[in-house]
Amino acid sequence: MKALKRLLQISWRNVFRNKRRSILTLMILVLGSSGLIVIGGFFENIMEGYREQFIHSQSGHLQVNRTGYFKKGASAPLDYMMPNAEQVRREIEGEPHVTFTVPRLKFGGLASTDNASIAVLAVGTDAVAEHKMGLAKAANDDNPSTNIIAGNDLDPKDTHGVLLGKGLSEALGVKPGDHVTFLTTRQAGAMDGAEMRVRGIFETIAKDFDDHAMKMNLATAQQLLDTPNQVHSFLVLLDQTTNTDLVQANLKSKFLASNSQLETLSWEEQGLFYRQSKEMLMKIYSTIQLIICVIFVFSIANTINMALFERIREFGTMMAIGNGRGTIFMTIFSEAGILGLLGSALGITIGIGLAHLISAIGIEMPPPPQSSAGYYAMITVTPKLVAQTFGISMLATMISSFFPALRATRFRIVQALGYV
Amino acid sequence: MEILEAMEVSKDYTMGKTHVQALKGLNLTIHSGEMVCIMGPSGSGKSTLLNLLGLLDTPSSGQILLQGKATQNLPYKESAQMRSRFLGFIFQSFNLFPVLNAFENIEYPLLFHPLTRKERRDRVWGALSDVQLREVALHRPDELSGGQRQRVAIARALVTHPLLILADEPTANLDSESAENIMTVMQRLNQSRKTTFVFSTHDPRVVHHASRIVKITDGVIQHEGTQATVTNILEKRLSQ
């Protein structure tokens, strides 16, 4: 222990023996680590923003529906109705961490005006719960997840009032107060239609959804389809997104035990675009990490190698007075470790500081793919990101010092003592 | 009592394309309490012999016995342990650790010995007293004179209470006054503490501190004995 303490003391002092060289190496480590924090935090923020908006505008944290609905429901929505909806809702809302549910009844139809007829995705929903869900804002956005950009939100008392997505309203050429004729197929196969009044226009992060969606009161949708008290799914909203896996597991086991023929899908399972975007960003970030790691390795290896050749005689002396090869190895290894530790700690601290500064200002971003609204990006620093950055710095340090340290242990004492 | 014995020791090595036979079947015995001077011109094999005696290198043939134990085939770890336990080293260029102060330099070899902190500190202060350097204990090597640095190196070699201290040209980098001081310190320690010293030199001014002189030329011992004996032999040879 005393030897290790003294070894670290010697290493610490050796790190600052050639101040200029060590400071240069530290600067590389600091720049790299802070860069990783800022870039990683930027990507994290993009994904976090998209995730929260997706959850609160479309998917909920979880979606409970009849087994098979998610994959095949689009082609035959009426085959996947949930007849005992109220009982299912009570079961879901009885779970810890569940704050509320939003019922959904989705079906296709045709919306017509004097000028255009467009196939739409009708979404029957609980106006109050839908409003509550849509109000949530992502941390990096001033707008709610479902932004009413014109008119008003759904009103349970206004049975024929509908909300149109921004793209759909533009395609139909309508504004709040205008009327739209909506036609659909009832459960029995007959056509049904109704004259709807546009109450408002909404915008979400998903342009594709906004181009086709028409939201209406659940009771109106059930009446049009002739499916009273039935829904396709419940969106489940939780107190924290991080509780998604836990509640999903609980619901799955509950439905399995009661043989309810219900499936529970997380927001991530529903969000193909999210998954693909995340995968792409993670690949880009991994490449950046790799490049920075290589820069770290070369710069630290250069410093350690130069220090090694300047001090060969010193290592010879250490071996002469009885130090084992392990001590020599540890001396060099710990010097690199101290450099890595200092560099990454400083870099991470500066990176976090920069993240706060940038977040306070915000980075104006154009609408992402498949979206219609721009936003202000920020830098989200997570414990995982900090741990990853620290891990990369330390890994680079270990790699870069391993071979020089190994080489030092192989010096012949006599040669090392006579080295000039 | 015999501490160290070199038996028919030879050392060959290659420098570029040249094959060098540094030592040629040399025999030497070091007894406890001696102060042996290995003398000879540059390239005579003095340093090679000291390296072999200090277990820093292995002979090409022959044996080195430390306290009767053959050392030439010891694994690195065991050899390092023997150096740490039984031997002390003083180098021509002092070889102090520049980032440690005098006290820490002297304490360094003790960190690998089973001693308490107090025992360690007592030994370091004792060694500093022996070389009369207590007042510069907290100075780093670059704040010390050459003579002071070499005295720190002596204290570092002394502090583990070794059987034998090997000094390779300890005065070569010192002015004559400092060289005399260093040799006086070593001689005093030899006489008062019975510390055994083997030092190499080509400086005739420091030879008189030795109790025995071993004159080496071209890897073989030419003469061996007290200073008077060796001087007589050399004078006779000159007169012939």
Side-chain angles (χ1 to χ4, degrees):
Chain A
M1 191 62 195
K2 60 183 186 256
L4 183 69
K5 196 176 153 194
R6 178 53 53 88
L7 194 75
L8 288 173
Q9 187 187 25
I10 294 171
S11 298
W12 173 264
R13 291 182 191 175
N14 273 322
V15 165
F16 295 102
R17 201 154 141 183
N18 188 326
K19 286 195 180 72
R20 192 181 296 174
R21 192 165 61 210
S22 295
I23 286 171
L24 195 68
T25 310
L26 279 176
M27 276 173 64
I28 293 169
L29 281 163
V30 166
L31 278 174
S33 303
S34 54
L36 281 177
I37 290 282
V38 171
I39 296 167
F42 176 61
F43 286 171
E44 181 67 33
N45 182 262
I46 290 173
M47 294 319 297
E48 183 190 291
Y50 185 82
R51 181 186 73 207
E52 292 305 316
Q53 297 229 18
F54 178 65
I55 287 170
H56 290 97
S57 63
Q58 288 188 63
S59 69
H61 290 102
L62 295 163
Q63 176 176 301
V64 175
N65 49 250
R66 290 272 302 273
T67 305
Y69 170 73
F70 185 71
K71 281 186 180 167
K72 299 174 189 167
S75 57
L78 297 175
D79 293 350
Y80 294 94
M81 303 300 284
M82 202 185 288
N84 51 346
E86 187 52 30
Q87 187 195 332
V88 173
R89 188 186 63 78
R90 278 198 302 272
E91 278 186 51
I92 297 169
E93 290 183 352
E95 274 297 309
H97 304 297
V98 173
T99 51
F100 63 101
T101 56
V102 183
R104 283 262 170 106
L105 183 60
K106 283 186 184 174
F107 54 103
L110 192 71
S112 301
T113 61
D114 292 343
N115 303 318
S117 291
I118 295 173
V120 299
L121 172 70
V123 180
T125 184
D126 179 327
V128 177
E130 183 82 21
H131 175 74
K132 192 176 170 185
M133 178 174 81
L135 276 182
K137 291 177 184 175
N140 57 2
D141 207 331
D142 292 335
N143 296 321
S145 300
T146 300
N147 188 19
I148 307 296
I149 55 172
N152 298 302
D153 210 337
L154 284 179
D155 183 348
K157 290 173 193 156
D158 183 1
T159 52
H160 283 72
V162 293
L163 290 185
L164 299 186
K166 187 184 171 197
L168 179 60
S169 71
E170 286 168 357
L172 288 171
V174 293
K175 59 185 186 305
D178 290 348
H179 286 83
V180 172
T181 306
F182 178 65
L183 294 173
T184 189
T185 311
R186 295 168 71 96
Q187 192 172 27
M191 291 291 286
D192 195 5
E195 185 79 0
M196 302 297 202
R197 192 177 67 84
V198 179
R199 275 188 63 82
I201 314 290
F202 70 87
E203 185 181 39
T204 68
I205 196 166
K207 186 174 182 304
D208 188 47
F209 183 67
D210 297 350
D211 286 348
H212 296 96
M214 181 170 81
K215 291 185 185 177
M216 62 182 71
N217 279 302
L218 180 62
T220 309
Q222 288 169 335
Q223 196 180 358
L224 282 168
L225 289 177
D226 192 23
T227 55
N229 302 320
Q230 295 183 57
V231 298
H232 280 127
S233 59
F234 282 104
L235 307 187
V236 184
L237 279 300
L238 308 177
D239 49 2
Q240 301 266 354
T241 303
T242 47
N243 288 325
T244 303
D245 290 346
L246 172 73
V247 179
Q248 184 181 25
N250 289 347
L251 285 175
K252 271 184 175 174
S253 55
K254 187 184 264 187
F255 295 145
L256 193 68
S258 61
N259 197 23
S260 304
Q261 300 295 309
L262 294 170
E263 64 183 4
T264 310
L265 298 154
S266 71
W267 57 270
E268 201 162 9
E269 287 166 320
Q270 298 172 62
L272 177 67
F273 178 71
Y274 174 86
R275 290 201 305 276
Q276 287 173 337
S277 303
K278 186 177 177 180
E279 200 175 322
M280 185 188 72
L281 286 181
M282 287 304 105
K283 285 240 164 93
I284 294 171
Y285 188 57
S286 301
T287 310
I288 294 169
Q289 281 178 323
L290 183 69
I291 292 167
I292 289 180
C293 189
V294 170
I295 294 170
F296 282 176
V297 168
F298 280 108
S299 79
I300 299 169
N302 179 52
T303 303
I304 296 292
N305 269 317
M306 285 170 81
L308 183 72
F309 283 107
E310 283 170 6
R311 288 164 46 207
I312 288 179
R313 187 184 289 207
E314 209 172 298
F315 297 125
T317 308
M318 289 171 74
M319 290 190 272
I321 61 181
N323 282 153
R325 294 189 195 280
T327 308
I328 307 294
F329 185 90
M330 280 310 295
T331 302
I332 297 163
F333 208 57
S334 56
E335 278 179 40
I338 288 169
L339 262 179
L341 205 64
L342 279 177
S344 54
L346 263 172
I348 288 168
T349 308
I350 290 171
I352 291 171
L354 276 174
H356 278 96
L357 185 70
I358 294 168
S359 297
I361 299 164
I363 309 164
E364 194 172 354
M365 299 291 290
Q370 293 196 15
S371 300
S372 53
Y375 65 101
Y376 277 92
M378 295 193 279
I379 310 292
T380 304
V381 181
T382 60
K384 186 182 166 192
L385 178 65
V386 171
Q388 260 186 4
T389 305
F390 181 74
I392 284 170
S393 303
M394 294 314 290
L395 179 73
T397 305
M398 300 297 117
I399 293 170
S400 54
S401 60
F402 183 80
F403 292 104
L406 198 64
R407 195 188 317 157
T409 64
R410 289 176 180 167
F411 289 141
R412 286 185 57 225
I413 303 174
V414 173
Q415 282 179 337
L417 285 171
Y419 189 86
V420 182
Chain B
M1 190 182 80
E2 291 170 4
I3 298 174
L4 195 63
E5 199 174 357
M7 297 166 68
E8 290 297 322
V9 167
S10 295
K11 182 68 183 177
D12 305 341
Y13 56 87
T14 307
M15 283 180 76
K17 289 179 180 173
T18 315
H19 181 76
V20 179
Q21 200 173 5
L23 295 177
K24 300 164 184 169
L26 187 142
N27 291 293
L28 180 68
T29 304
I30 309 294
H31 299 92
S32 179
E34 276 193 302
M35 183 140 178
V36 180
C37 171
I38 313 281
M39 232 192 138
S42 288
S44 58
K46 304 187 297 292
S47 294
T48 307
L49 177 61
L50 279 185
N51 288 338
L52 295 178
L53 296 179
L55 314 188
L56 301 177
D57 204 355
T58 49
S60 306
S61 64
Q63 284 196 68
I64 305 281
L65 305 179
L66 178 60
Q67 287 210 307
K69 186 176 179 182
T71 60
Q72 67 273 18
N73 293 322
L74 287 177
Y76 178 89
K77 194 175 177 182
E78 208 174 320
S79 168
Q81 280 170 353
M82 288 191 88
R83 285 196 300 275
S84 172
R85 279 182 63 194
F86 300 125
L87 303 172
F89 294 91
I90 299 167
F91 302 98
Q92 184 179 327
S93 306
F94 325 126
N95 290 22
L96 299 176
F97 300 119
V99 294
L100 301 182
N101 62 34
F103 184 97
E104 291 164 339
N105 261 292
I106 298 165
E107 188 192 23
Y108 185 82
L110 293 179
L111 297 172
F112 307 93
H113 286 245
L115 295 170
T116 64
R117 188 165 182 261
K118 186 179 180 308
E119 286 169 334
R120 226 165 51 228
R121 295 179 70 84
D122 289 347
R123 278 213 202 179
V124 176
W125 283 117
L128 275 165
S129 299
D130 286 336
V131 296
Q132 294 161 351
L133 277 182
R134 286 178 75 102
E135 71 281 4
V136 295
L138 300 179
H139 289 225
R140 288 202 182 178
D142 58 1
E143 297 163 343
L144 302 174
S145 69
Q148 285 176 321
R149 288 184 210 182
Q150 197 58 300
R151 281 195 276 159
V152 173
I154 293 171
R156 182 176 68 182
L158 191 71
V159 78
T160 55
H161 298 171
L163 284 174
L164 170 67
I165 293 178
L166 295 147
D168 189 8
E169 306 220 23
T171 58
N173 282 350
L174 300 175
D175 59 71
S176 54
E177 190 186 338
S178 300
E180 186 54 32
N181 283 339
I182 288 299
M183 292 314 300
T184 307
V185 168
M186 284 168 58
Q187 193 174 28
R188 181 166 47 77
L189 291 167
N190 172 254
Q191 287 167 359
S192 62
R193 293 175 157 254
K194 301 297 172 210
T195 307
T196 310
F197 280 93
V198 175
F199 66 96
S200 67
T201 186
H202 56 259
D203 183 355
R205 290 171 301 173
V206 301
V207 174
H208 65 275
H209 291 282
S211 60
R212 181 157 61 112
I213 298 168
V214 178
K215 175 92 168 54
I216 299 184
T217 310
D218 295 332
V220 292
I221 294 175
Q222 291 280 308
H223 315 288
E224 188 180 352
T226 60
Q227 191 188 1
T229 317
V230 174
T231 310
N232 276 340
I233 294 167
L234 288 172
E235 279 173 357
K236 273 183 189 172
R237 185 159 288 187
L238 280 172
S239 62
Q240 284 169 5

